[in-house]
């Protein structure tokens, strides 16, 4: 094994970017692989070279070892980092990479294979003296044997597929009479899902915490642990919030769990980064669950409290280097929390959402780290995981990190797809969470299984939405005509200008009337209430308005008819139904796409001859520091493209012509 000069990253999104960042820091050249759905993705832009490996579906691109190996050969890469997911825990892939004479930045095929089978892994752990949940993990899979063993264990029992993982193929059985049926359905499900019907049985631990230990091993026999992470806040086996250290950890328990994790890694001759998962019960007993043989999504919280770069350590160990860090030299300092920002709809059973991200701004300040693999202007496609970004905060204490996270999330404006942002804030502000007193049942118990609805907007928030709408309309009007009569701009001599809005917002409709005063303030009617609004500070997309004396921050982005807004830290989307009803008021009839205002073309997404559908984004114009999407109003095909990137356009300039099929 020698030095890595060129690293191929067999992944996409934030983890591909994360790995490349360290490689670049170390002077290692990087190769990205990408599917055609990811042609404009950040990981492709970030790499020194990029190889197209197939169409969007993972089965034809990121999951095909041959395509990755061909890309490595073509670019002369000498090492492959698998990231997480995809091929990262595929034993055959590790072997294939090595057979091709390349370094696999991960464990051997044997270690991956062994940990991929719960029965074999558990037998090995029991031999190594690692505490395991009492149960049955024998080779005899006869019904009578399993039922007899189940009765010995005592109920409730977990029936798990030996080849499963992460909660897939798992069943809880409360009493003896349910066991035979659970065994037969679990077996056939496991056979279908994993190609093996092998089962294990375990005593069920009630409301455990999920605590996992980060381990690291080199190829010289050195194995250390880097402390633990608490990942109990999960929804249907998908992690939502992770933190380090575990809030209820003691030095004694950490030593015991850490030593058990190190023994686990030693017993399988492990190398590289690994995670040993434990269940921790309410009495403080812990039990080995499984070992993940990859770098994990939540590794940043460990990096934050140890000050180590886990990817750098992976690369070093993969080159054959020694860890060079003894257990006594690992110090855990402070507290870190990570949340996973997903494109999903908490109000609709958390279903994943797809679509264009047209605005993404998160505050970057000391103690805040954002690992994102997507930028504004990019699509969340249906092919991949809906995780948009990981936000990590660090503080001297857990409470500092928690409060900082709430603030950061409140200020994170992400428009275009629904996200779990508000749900994350609700979790972080829940008393159980802030007390550190939670288990894997936290989300189900506190929020229910299938939904989380946003609160309805308050009158003050609606007043903000109304005024921001009004200001955008006024800017648009003034951009169209620089010598417009003052009264149209809202500065009438004595009469108030009266602008009615009908805002469809969070499933309800509100009548909001904005009356502009000549001193720049507003009176706003929201249904039956009247509020006074005074602009304090307006800077591009962001503004602070005082509503009846209370300062409210907001960030807005107008995409077509829809105003995406972050108001007082809450995300909301509203459509002005009156403007929608007026339609075509600006003279473009869909076939002739006119510039809505004076501005600069920052991006163009179509070429002559492209077919477009109503709603497709054609271009982006920037005016007054705000970006405006130009959307197709009709289905058709692009005839003329009269603009170029960076060109200035005037209001009502013809930019694009579209011919529709039914002409
Ligand atoms: C368990 C358990 C209770 N008792 N095993 C779920 C994911 C998979 N890695 C193992 N899982 C569990 N195994 C026994 N014997 C409870 C869970 C469990 C869980 C574990 C970790 C994190 C979240 C969880 C949510 C529900 C159930």
């Amino acid at each position: 094994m020698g030095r890595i000069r060129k690293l191929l990253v067999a992944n996409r999104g934030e983890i591909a970017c994360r790995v490349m960042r360290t490689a670049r820091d170390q002077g290692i050249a990087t190769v990205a692989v990408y599917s055609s759905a990811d042609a404009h993705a950040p990981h492709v832009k970030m790499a020194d070279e990029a190889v197209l490996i197939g169409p969007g579906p993972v089965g034809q691109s990121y999951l095909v070892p041959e395509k990755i190996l061909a890309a490595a050969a073509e670019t002369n890469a000498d090492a492959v980092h698998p990231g997480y997911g995809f091929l990262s825990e595929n034993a055959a892939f590790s072997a294939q990479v090595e057979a091709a004479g390349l370094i696999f930045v991960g464990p051997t095929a044997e270690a991956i294979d062994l940990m991929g089978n719960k029965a074999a892994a558990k037998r090995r752990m029991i031999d190594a003296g690692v505490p395991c949940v009492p149960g049955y993990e024998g080779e005899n899979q006869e019904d009578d044997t399993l039922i007899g063993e189940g009765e010995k264990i005592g109920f409730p029992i977990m029936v798990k597929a030996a080849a499963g993982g992460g909660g897939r193929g798992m069943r809880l059985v409360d009493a003896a009479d349910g066991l035979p049926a659970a065994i037969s359905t679990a077996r056939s499900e496991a056979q279908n899902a994993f190609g093996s019907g092998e089962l294990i049985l375990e005593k069920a631990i009630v409301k455990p915490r999920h605590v996992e230990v980060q381990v690291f091993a080199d190829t010289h026999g050195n194995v250390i642990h880097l402390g633990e992470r608490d990942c109990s806040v999960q929804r249907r086996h998908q992690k939502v919030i992770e933190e380090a250290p575990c809030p209820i950890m003691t030095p004694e328990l950490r030593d015991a769990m850490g030593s058990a994790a190190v023994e686990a890694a030693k017993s399988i001759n492990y190398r590289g980064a690994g995670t040993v998962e434990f269940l921790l019960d309410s009495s403080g007993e812990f039990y080995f669950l499984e070992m993940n043989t990859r770098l994990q999504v939540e590794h940043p919280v460990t990096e934050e409290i140890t000050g180590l770069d886990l990817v750098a350590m992976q690369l070093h160990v993969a080159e054959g280097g020694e860890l060079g860090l003894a257990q006594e030299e690992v110090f855990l300092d402070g507290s870190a929390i990570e949340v996973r920002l997903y494109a999903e709809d908490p109000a609709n059973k958390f279903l994943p959402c797809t679509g264009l991200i047209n605005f993404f701004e998160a505050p970057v300040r000391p103690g805040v780290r954002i690992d994102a693999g997507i930028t504004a202007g990019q699509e969340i496609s249906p092919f991949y995981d809906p995780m948009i970004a990981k936000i990590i905060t660090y503080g001297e204490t857990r409470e500092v990190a928690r409060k900082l996270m709430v603030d950061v999330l409140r200020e994170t404006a992400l428009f275009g797809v629904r996200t779990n942002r508000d749900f994350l804030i609700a979790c972080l502000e829940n008393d159980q969470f802030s007390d550190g007193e939670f288990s894997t049942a936290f989300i189900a118990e506190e929020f229910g299984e299938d939904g989380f609805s946003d609160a309805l907007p308050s009158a003050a928030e609606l007043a903000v939405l109304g005024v921001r709408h009004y200001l955008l309309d006024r800017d648009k009007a003034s951009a169209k005509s620089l010598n417009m009569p003052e009264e149209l701009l809202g500065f009438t001599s004595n009469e108030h200008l009266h602008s009615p809005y009908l805002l469809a917002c969070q499933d309800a409709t509100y009548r909001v009337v904005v009356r502009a005063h000549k001193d720049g303030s507003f009176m706003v009617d929201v249904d039956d209430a009247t509020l006074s609004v005074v602009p304090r500070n307006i800077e591009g997309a962001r503004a602070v308005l005082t509503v009846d004396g209370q300062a409210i921050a907001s960030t807005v982005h107008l995409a077509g008819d829809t105003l995406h807004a972050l108001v007082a830290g809450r995300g909301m989307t509203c459509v002005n139904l009156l403007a929608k009803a007026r339609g075509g008021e600006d003279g473009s009839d869909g076939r002739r796409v006119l510039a809505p205002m004076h501005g600069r073309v920052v991006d163009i997404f179509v070429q002559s001859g492209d077919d477009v559908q109503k709603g497709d984004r054609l271009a982006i114009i920037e005016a007054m520091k705000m970006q405006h999407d130009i959307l197709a109003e009709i289905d058709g095909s692009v005839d003329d493209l009269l603009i170029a990137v960076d060109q200035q356009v005037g209001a009502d300039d013809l930019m694009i012509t579209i011919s529709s099929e039914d002409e």
Side-chain angles (χ1 to χ4, degrees):
M1 268 176 255
R3 284 203 75 82
I4 298 172
R5 286 186 312 270
K6 193 188 268 193
L7 176 69
L8 181 143
V9 182
N11 217 298
R12 64 180 300 282
E14 68 86 17
I15 193 61
C17 295
R18 161 71 192 92
V19 171
M20 286 194 258
R21 174 166 66 78
T22 289
R24 201 170 56 183
D25 285 353
Q26 309 221 329
I28 296 172
T30 55
V31 180
V33 293
Y34 67 100
S35 74
S36 48
D38 275 338
H40 304 289
H43 79 280
V44 176
K45 295 198 178 105
M46 195 170 170
D48 297 313
E49 290 170 80
V51 182
L52 175 67
I53 53 168
V58 293
Q60 297 170 58
S61 51
Y62 297 106
L63 273 183
V64 187
E66 293 71 26
K67 297 204 174 190
I68 309 290
L69 290 166
E74 183 188 320
T75 55
N76 263 314
D78 44 29
V80 175
H81 193 303
Y84 54 68
F86 295 143
L87 294 166
S88 63
E89 292 181 284
N90 182 315
F93 182 62
S94 169
Q96 279 173 284
V97 169
E98 294 192 345
L102 309 176
I103 295 174
F104 181 71
V105 185
T108 58
E110 292 70 39
I112 297 175
D113 208 35
L114 182 66
M115 285 303 170
N117 181 291
K118 284 186 193 301
K122 216 171 149 181
R123 290 195 292 262
R124 183 71 68 98
M125 292 307 122
I126 291 167
D127 286 348
V130 176
C132 292
V133 190
Y136 174 75
E137 53 285 322
E139 284 174 18
N140 184 333
Q141 294 283 306
E142 307 271 333
D143 281 5
D144 287 350
T145 306
L146 291 175
I147 290 165
E149 292 291 337
E151 261 144 30
K152 275 196 247 165
I153 298 165
F155 291 86
I157 282 180
M158 284 287 187
V159 180
K160 299 182 177 182
R168 297 195 307 152
M170 197 176 77
R171 262 196 156 61
L172 176 64
V173 184
D174 288 318
D177 59 354
L179 190 56
I183 288 171
S184 84
T185 51
R187 182 185 283 138
S188 66
E189 275 178 23
Q191 184 66 49
N192 281 332
F194 314 111
S196 154
E198 188 185 357
L199 301 176
I200 65 166
L201 305 178
E202 283 181 352
K203 185 160 106 64
I205 310 296
V206 181
K207 295 191 195 178
R209 295 180 83 112
H210 170 133
V211 179
E212 57 184 35
V213 177
Q214 177 72 54
V215 293
F216 238 102
D218 65 19
T219 49
H220 305 274
N222 303 302
V223 187
I224 57 172
H225 74 84
L226 305 179
E228 77 289 347
R229 298 181 284 258
D230 190 315
C231 310
S232 302
V233 181
Q234 313 205 350
R235 225 198 113 259
R236 295 176 181 264
H237 305 303
Q238 199 178 53
K239 291 173 184 157
V240 176
I241 305 178
E242 302 107 338
E243 59 181 301
C246 164
I248 60 156
M249 191 52 62
T250 62
E252 296 72 30
L253 183 57
R254 177 175 296 127
D255 273 351
M257 290 181 90
S259 304
V262 166
E263 286 313 313
K266 281 187 175 159
S267 75
I268 60 166
N269 278 318
Y270 197 72
R271 77 168 184 220
T275 298
V276 183
E277 288 186 11
F278 295 101
L279 293 180
L280 177 61
D281 74 15
S282 47
S283 70
E285 295 292 319
F286 64 90
Y287 310 93
F288 171 85
L289 204 54
E290 50 193 79
M291 180 169 180
N292 301 313
T293 54
R294 57 165 194 271
L295 185 70
Q296 289 200 264
V297 178
E298 59 271 24
H299 76 277
V301 293
T302 299
E303 295 188 320
E304 292 303 315
I305 68 160
T306 58
L308 298 169
D309 178 334
L310 267 52
V311 174
M313 289 170 69
Q314 282 189 299
L315 297 174
H316 179 69
V317 163
E319 287 176 333
E322 288 208 46
L323 270 177
L325 188 69
Q327 190 64 58
E328 311 77 62
E329 295 172 300
V330 175
F331 295 103
L332 307 183
D333 198 12
S335 185
I337 300 180
E338 172 180 284
V339 300
R340 300 189 187 186
L341 191 63
Y342 287 111
E344 65 183 15
D345 187 359
N348 188 17
K349 301 184 176 173
F350 293 89
L351 288 177
C353 297
T354 57
L356 184 77
I357 299 205
N358 43 37
F359 189 97
F360 183 16
E361 249 182 39
V364 179
R365 60 171 84 129
V368 180
R369 164 175 168 184
I370 297 179
D371 280 18
I374 196 152
T375 49
Q378 247 202 287
E379 195 93 30
I380 301 277
S381 76
F383 302 120
Y384 314 114
D385 185 278
M387 191 170 79
I388 299 168
K390 307 187 302 205
I391 305 178
I392 302 103
T393 58
Y394 174 82
E396 262 174 50
T397 65
R398 181 174 187 266
E399 193 55 9
V400 170
R402 187 187 70 84
K403 285 196 170 124
L404 180 58
M405 183 67 84
V406 171
D407 289 347
V408 169
L409 284 170
R410 286 221 173 96
E411 291 170 44
T412 297
L414 192 144
F415 302 144
V417 292
R418 288 184 179 249
T419 73
N420 64 336
R421 195 192 67 115
D422 293 6
F423 176 66
L424 291 170
I425 295 172
C427 289
L428 291 160
E429 292 197 313
N430 180 287
D431 287 345
Q432 277 191 29
F433 185 83
S434 53
D435 293 347
E437 290 297 330
F438 51 85
S439 75
T440 49
F442 170 71
I443 288 181
E445 284 179 357
E446 295 296 298
F447 299 95
E449 269 297 333
D450 37 54
F452 168 79
S453 296
D454 300 331
L456 293 175
S458 66
E461 289 163 350
L462 286 161
V464 170
L465 290 172
V467 169
R468 301 247 25 209
H469 234 303
Y470 171 87
L471 292 171
L472 286 173
D473 289 350
R474 197 184 69 185
D475 289 345
K476 196 164 146 182
S478 70
K480 272 190 181 172
S481 166
L482 289 174
N483 43 21
M484 183 178 223
E486 278 222 319
E487 59 270 25
L488 286 183
L489 295 176
F491 307 110
T492 57
S493 47
N494 38 38
E495 280 296 294
H496 299 147
L497 200 77
H498 203 87
S499 296
Y501 291 90
L502 196 58
L503 300 180
C505 188
Q506 331 278 99
D507 300 328
T509 304
Y510 305 89
R511 197 177 158 73
V512 177
V513 180
V514 178
R515 284 175 282 142
H517 292 211
K518 67 179 170 194
D519 64 358
S521 70
F522 301 90
M523 291 304 283
V524 184
D525 298 333
V526 177
D527 292 332
D528 295 332
T530 299
L531 301 95
S532 107
V533 179
V534 183
R536 283 280 170 250
N537 186 359
I538 302 182
E539 214 176 304
R542 289 174 182 278
V544 177
L545 308 179
T546 305
V547 182
D548 283 351
Q550 180 203 355
I552 299 182
S554 60
T555 302
V556 297
H557 177 86
L558 193 61
D561 292 328
T562 305
L563 184 73
H564 297 281
L566 178 69
V567 181
R570 291 206 301 135
M572 38 193 84
T573 297
C574 66
V575 175
N576 179 15
L577 298 175
L578 292 180
K580 217 177 156 76
R582 277 200 300 276
E585 59 174 351
D586 55 9
S588 44
D589 60 359
R591 298 195 172 81
R592 292 161 48 78
V593 181
L594 308 182
M597 69 201 66
H598 180 87
R600 183 177 66 90
V601 178
V602 290
D603 216 340
I604 301 173
F605 304 102
V606 291
Q607 299 179 335
S608 288
D610 283 0
D611 285 333
V612 293
Q613 291 187 330
K614 183 172 186 305
D616 283 357
R617 193 159 67 147
L618 306 173
I620 299 179
I621 299 222
E622 189 176 85
M624 292 162 289
K625 291 198 220 157
M626 304 253 316
Q627 298 205 335
H628 299 265
D629 293 336
I630 307 299
L631 306 179
E633 290 177 18
I634 56 168
D635 293 352
S637 84
V638 174
D639 281 340
D640 294 313
L641 195 66
L642 305 163
I643 48 171
V645 169
D646 266 342
Q647 183 187 322
Q648 295 286 333
V649 289
D652 289 336
D653 280 0
L654 182 63
M655 300 191 295
I656 295 169
T657 61
I658 296 176
S659 59
S660 71
E661 285 110 28
D662 50 33
E663 253 177 321

